[in-house]
Amino acid sequence: MTYSERVYSDLKAKNPNQPEFLQAAEEVLEALAPIVDTDPKYEAVGLLERLVEPERQIMFRIPWVDDNGKVHVNRGYRVQFNSAIGPYKGGLRLHPSVNLSIIKFLGFEQIFKNSLTGLPIGGAKGGSDFDPKGKSDMEVMRFCQAFMNELYKYVGADEDVPAGDIGTGAREVGYLYGQYKKLTNRSEGVLTGKGLSFGGSLARTEATGYGLVYITEELLKDHGKNIADSRIAVSGSGNVAIYAMEKATMLGGHVISCSDSNGYIIDENGIDVEAVKQIKEVERKRLTEYLKYHPEATYGEGSLWDVVSCDVALPCATQNEINKEQAERLVGTGCFAVCEGANMPTDAEATQVFLDKKVLFIPGKASNAGGVATSALEMGQNSIRSSWSFDEVDAKLKGIMINIYYHMKEACEKYDAVDNFVVGANIAGFMKVADAMMAQGIV
Ligand code: NDP
């Protein structure tokens, strides 16, 4: 057994009930094999064993009271995975499906993603099985305050800086920040994705979706294709999906779909992004409402990936939303590029289909890194007590995404895996973290 195989086998034995975490770890360990199995210096310092074990995992009770006076108890998580290159950084997910496996997979991915941005930020993730859907603003506020009543002990501007993720948008970040300030009496950049009136950065809301489209544009250009000539399928209708659709449309792409957890919209006239914003960001309603704006569009229940045909797929909803059959279908109907907006939306078998069929495929840890990169820019602005213009932040974001693309590409070429960006992203992300861990000794 090679070093990376042994580490994965031990990890599997130790964490049998964490399928999402094991899936993410297996992909990374396989991609790193050409490096870690050929140079004994990594095994000599137990580097992989340390890399796959979080530095700290915190789980706690979140008791809160609903509008009818009923007490609810949710479970809160913060997994501080790796701080070798900087303070822990990663979002907070609020969704009923949240469990330790999902938070560990997201925190593990975050290590490499944050490294790829070129900025000094370590990897973490957190969240709760609380479902913000259908809750009043006051209930969401009371939940967020209860969450922060415990979380504040472990976070700080130079220690751990959480942000948004599924179910955690500007409203939730505002309530979390308010409670942190109340508890600590400190006005500091402890969270990113804050409102513009209290330390938020321009372009942070747009950053993950815009960044996804910038890297997709570079990928297509580099392969003699053009976003403006492409038929683009987007899934999801949250923060990432909305701004991916907006930027792709601005660049002349023909965006024909979006979805939520109930169903999907296909609009051959091009998705009306303003209508989706109104439904999802303002009214917080279901996507069926889209038909009120555009009755000629199609609404279907189930998965978008069972029906849509496109040149470019941008999955922006959640993990494992594309399976093997759906990947084969997409390839069969002419899809030539898949760039992940969500974290791990393509399952392991589907990823293999895309790689085998030479579909241009960029994994989320590279293609959705624009969100955390801009969060790090928000941290920078907070620490110098200044703010930059939208265009300044957007230009930096675009530069970072293009850098990630070429950094990945270079790693692909160096390790004889041309156009295999799964290998390229993992290796490029790993090298800096590994160097820092080696330099800092066994800690
Ligand atoms: P949002 O909560 O804003 O939106 C999530 C979207 O995905 C919604 O349309 C939601 O539908 C749908 N969705 C969520 N869970 C499921 C599910 N189990 N099945 C089907 N659809 C689902 O989240 P974001 O847009 O912020 O995040 C989307 C993805 O992008 C996640 O994987 C996240 O980790 C990743 N990401 C986000 C970043 C950010 O900056 N926001 C940064 C990097 C990655 P519904 O409305 O019905 O719940």
Side-chain angles (χ1 to χ4, degrees):
M1 226 188 244
T2 63
Y3 175 40
S4 59
E5 285 168 353
R6 179 176 61 71
V7 169
Y8 181 66
S9 159
D10 291 351
L11 195 69
K12 233 168 118 177
K14 245 187 179 173
N15 302 281
N17 302 318
Q18 299 185 352
E20 293 86 0
F21 172 52
L22 291 173
Q23 182 184 339
E26 187 175 24
E27 180 205 288
V28 170
L29 292 172
E30 273 179 19
L32 298 181
I35 298 178
V36 295
D37 294 340
T38 54
D39 187 340
K41 76 176 181 195
Y42 296 108
E43 188 167 4
V45 297
L47 194 114
L48 289 184
E49 292 87 330
R50 289 188 285 138
L51 190 68
V52 296
E53 190 65 31
E55 289 175 14
R56 193 173 296 111
Q57 315 182 45
I58 303 142
M59 278 172 68
F60 50 95
R61 171 176 86 188
I62 310 178
W64 60 279
V65 183
D66 72 17
D67 290 345
N68 300 316
K70 186 171 182 308
V71 175
H72 297 261
V73 177
N74 285 101
R75 187 171 283 175
Y77 300 86
R78 187 70 180 164
V79 173
Q80 297 177 330
F81 226 113
N82 192 300
S83 61
I85 65 169
Y88 306 108
K89 179 97 197 85
L92 296 174
R93 177 172 292 192
L94 300 183
H95 193 273
S97 63
V98 162
N99 57 36
L100 188 59
S101 172
I102 289 183
I103 298 299
K104 279 179 71 181
F105 120 65
L106 291 164
F108 186 64
E109 291 278 292
Q110 199 82 40
I111 303 170
F112 308 97
K113 178 188 310 197
N114 292 3
S115 167
L116 277 168
T117 66
L119 300 165
I121 37 179
K125 200 79 186 187
S128 170
D129 57 0
F130 172 79
D131 187 358
K133 255 188 236 130
K135 304 288 190 299
S136 70
D137 281 352
M138 286 298 110
E139 287 174 330
V140 170
M141 181 186 79
R142 286 195 292 274
F143 167 80
C144 289
Q145 291 175 340
F147 193 173
M148 189 50 85
N149 284 343
E150 183 64 23
L151 188 68
Y152 87 98
K153 299 170 188 167
Y154 312 101
V155 296
D158 294 314
E159 187 179 350
D160 182 355
V161 183
D165 190 73
I166 290 179
T168 307
R171 174 182 61 171
E172 290 74 17
V173 169
Y175 293 148
L176 289 162
Y177 183 75
Q179 188 69 359
Y180 178 83
K181 200 158 55 60
K182 176 90 185 163
L183 291 166
T184 62
N185 207 24
R186 283 203 297 271
S187 286
E188 59 176 28
V190 66
L191 285 148
T192 56
K194 298 185 291 301
L196 293 177
S197 56
F198 54 97
S201 172
L202 286 161
R204 173 61 189 94
T205 306
E206 293 82 357
T208 310
Y210 277 24
L212 169 67
V213 174
Y214 292 144
I215 201 167
T216 304
E217 186 188 25
E218 201 59 32
L219 169 79
L220 296 188
K221 248 199 303 188
D222 196 34
H223 290 81
K225 298 186 187 294
N226 192 340
I227 216 161
D229 301 329
S230 299
R231 180 180 161 89
I232 302 171
V234 173
S235 64
S237 49
N239 174 259
V240 180
I242 286 175
Y243 293 96
M245 293 193 284
E246 181 170 277
K247 180 53 77 176
T249 306
M250 282 162 76
L251 296 177
H254 189 54
V255 178
I256 43 105
S257 70
C258 59
S259 65
D260 63 16
S261 45
N262 297 98
Y264 56 84
I265 287 285
I266 296 186
D267 187 345
E268 293 293 345
N269 295 324
I271 292 287
D272 175 351
V273 182
E274 291 309 312
V276 180
K277 280 189 189 174
Q278 178 64 24
I279 297 163
K280 287 292 178 181
E281 292 185 334
V282 182
E283 297 170 11
R284 297 179 189 275
K285 287 191 174 155
R286 310 311 297 159
L287 216 42
T288 40
E289 297 287 311
Y290 188 90
L291 296 177
K292 291 189 181 154
Y293 296 80
H294 297 283
E296 71 288 358
T298 306
Y299 178 81
E301 289 187 347
S303 172
L304 169 73
W305 305 115
D306 286 332
V307 293
V308 78
S309 65
C310 60
D311 301 318
V312 176
L314 303 178
C316 297
T318 193
Q319 65 275 358
N320 293 332
E321 54 171 296
I322 302 182
N323 62 28
K324 182 172 177 232
E325 290 70 38
Q326 292 165 331
E328 282 165 348
R329 226 201 104 260
L330 279 171
V331 177
T333 54
C335 175
F336 57 74
V338 178
C339 298
E340 297 185 328
N343 284 309
M344 209 168 72
T346 315
D347 77 16
E349 289 181 333
T351 302
Q352 201 52 52
V353 170
F354 291 141
L355 295 177
D356 290 346
K357 302 285 183 190
K358 305 285 175 224
V359 169
L360 299 169
F361 176 81
I362 305 191
K365 59 169 69 77
S367 45
N368 70 31
V372 73
T374 308
S375 277
L377 300 178
E378 182 174 328
M379 288 164 72
Q381 293 169 79
N382 291 163
S383 60
I384 57 169
R385 304 253 181 255
S386 179
S387 54
W388 301 328
S389 70
F390 186 98
D391 288 348
E392 238 173 316
V393 179
D394 190 38
K396 286 184 204 291
L397 166 66
K398 188 168 183 181
I400 289 169
M401 297 313 296
I402 292 174
N403 262 340
I404 291 177
Y405 177 71
Y406 286 103
H407 196 187
M408 247 180 2
K409 181 176 166 170
E410 201 181 298
C412 290
E413 285 165 2
K414 185 162 174 201
Y415 290 94
D416 211 15
V418 173
D419 281 351
N420 183 335
F421 299 109
V422 173
V423 168
N426 282 311
I427 291 182
F430 168 77
M431 292 313 290
K432 185 168 147 193
V433 177
D435 285 352
M437 287 176 73
M438 305 278 277
Q440 291 169 24
I442 314 286
V443 288

